[in-house]
């Protein structure tokens, strides 16, 4: 399997949509009774949290890349005396 970068925003969105799906499935199967409007805050809240998480994650990756670029341009980091 090829390695890929970790994307916490997509993970967060997937978790909240999975929770919404499980809630809907449990309601449809008769395991519990959930009002129809409960799914809306779960999905929208999860998508908003995923957006914030994605922006924080991308800013962290961008900061690391900039620091690495500066470190590479300055001669490879620290030198031992």
């Amino acid at each position: 399997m090829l390695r890929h970068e970790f994307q916490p925003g997509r993970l967060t969105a997937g978790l909240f949509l999975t929770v919404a799906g499980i809630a809907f499935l449990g309601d449809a199967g008769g395991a519990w009774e959930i009002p129809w409007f409960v799914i809306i805050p779960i999905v929208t809240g999860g998508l908003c949290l995923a957006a914030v998480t994605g922006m924080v994650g991308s800013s962290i990756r961008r900061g690391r890349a900039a620091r690495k670029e500066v470190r590479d341009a300055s001669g490879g980091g620290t030198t031992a005396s």
Side-chain angles (χ1 to χ4, degrees), residues 3-74:
R3 294 194 65 163
H4 59 279
E5 65 179 321
F6 178 63
Q7 297 179 341
R10 289 186 181 193
L11 176 66
T12 306
L15 288 175
F16 274 90
L17 291 174
T18 301
V19 166
I22 290 171
F24 181 74
L25 184 65
D27 186 39
W32 53 75
E33 185 68 31
I34 296 179
W36 64 269
F37 53 85
V38 171
I39 299 298
I40 295 170
I42 292 174
V43 172
T44 56
L47 290 176
C48 290
L49 186 62
V52 170
T53 306
M55 287 188 296
V56 169
S58 67
S59 68
I60 290 172
R61 279 194 302 274
R62 195 175 323 126
R64 283 184 182 170
R67 283 192 305 269
K68 182 180 178 192
E69 205 172 279
V70 168
R71 192 173 48 237
D72 290 343
S74 67

